[in-house]
Amino acid sequence: MGHFAAFDIFRLAEPADAGEVVAALAAVVDARARTTPGFLLSRVHLTLDGSTLVHHTRWTSERNYRLWCPDHAAVGEPGPPYRHAAVRTAVTVTGIAAGGIQGPAVGQPPRVAAVAIRHFAGPEPAAAVLGLLHRSGQWKRDHPGFIAADVCLSADGRTFVNYPAWTGRSAYEAWMADPRISAGQAEVARLELAPPQYFVCTVEHEVVGHHISPQR
């Protein structure tokens, strides 16, 4: 059964403030996540250039996500969207898990992850890209240091988020150096409405939950 996924993207005014915002967000997650019904996973990421935080969470359902909802799991002051003096903009992308592929390092802790947000005219091109991901899995499943790539789709099928993770930066760099990656990206680009948003991040904080039944 697919989970509900959210990606909260925080653009920072200054990279020097990243550590403070990571710590503030991690404190909110540690205090609240495990007691929120349906919580499955939280990962706080920081882009390699320090300009952006990405908070990825997973839930058993959208209803349970709304119990948490970023507007009251605020960083700093409460209120929508997340408020912190160092956060310049905050955007949230959500969707339902739509499959993915696993690599030889599945189960190992992720150190580097990428968040690729792609926009399509509708469900058909998004489904075509998901098919491309599975076909490319023939070689990706054996790539050293590759953990998994998870995909989520928005309710209207127009926004597609690919979330691959690796055991470290060297594994990620070897992945990107493979010519089959650039060939696949060119094929995907022909189906997109606009250039993707692409964030390469280190994983700064992780909390793994258990299935918590919603309160009735």
Side-chain angles (χ1 to χ4, degrees):
M1 182 169 137
H3 58 263
F4 186 82
F7 294 85
D8 303 313
I9 301 164
F10 307 105
R11 300 278 191 176
L12 303 180
E14 296 291 341
D17 297 323
E20 179 184 343
V21 184
V22 166
L25 181 52
V28 170
V29 172
D30 288 340
R32 296 189 62 248
R34 290 189 181 91
T35 60
T36 302
F39 168 73
L40 297 174
L41 174 72
S42 164
R43 285 186 189 142
V44 179
H45 309 73
L46 179 63
T47 56
L48 298 183
D49 64 1
S51 68
T52 306
L53 266 70
V54 180
H55 184 207
H56 173 41
T57 55
R58 298 179 189 175
W59 308 86
T60 55
S61 69
E62 182 176 0
R63 177 181 178 274
N64 289 322
Y65 164 72
R66 298 299 172 192
L67 295 174
W68 159 273
C69 215
D71 59 358
H72 66 261
V75 178
E77 287 183 43
Y82 282 65
R83 291 180 182 174
H84 189 287
V87 175
R88 187 174 61 192
T89 62
V91 176
T92 298
V93 178
T94 62
I96 297 294
I101 57 175
Q102 294 183 338
V106 66
Q108 295 189 38
R111 303 299 181 195
V112 172
V115 180
I117 303 172
R118 302 184 182 277
H119 304 281
F120 301 103
E124 292 79 8
V129 172
L130 183 59
L132 173 63
L133 176 66
H134 282 281
R135 291 193 300 276
S136 69
Q138 294 176 359
W139 67 268
K140 291 176 179 176
R141 289 187 181 95
D142 296 323
H143 193 282
F146 172 53
I147 297 172
D150 296 300
V151 172
C152 79
L153 285 175
S154 61
D156 62 5
R158 295 167 60 92
T159 303
F160 175 111
V161 182
N162 186 22
Y163 177 70
W166 299 267
T167 55
R169 190 162 177 176
S170 61
Y172 164 75
E173 290 173 347
W175 172 283
M176 293 302 296
D178 192 299
R180 290 171 288 191
I181 289 292
S182 57
Q185 289 177 340
E187 187 172 347
V188 171
R190 289 194 289 270
L191 298 169
E192 292 180 292
L193 288 177
Q197 298 162 274
Y198 191 76
F199 306 96
V200 182
C201 314
T202 55
V203 178
E204 301 293 316
H205 184 265
E206 179 181 75
V207 175
V208 178
H210 303 286
H211 181 94
I212 306 172
S213 298
Q215 296 177 350
R216 296 183 182 275

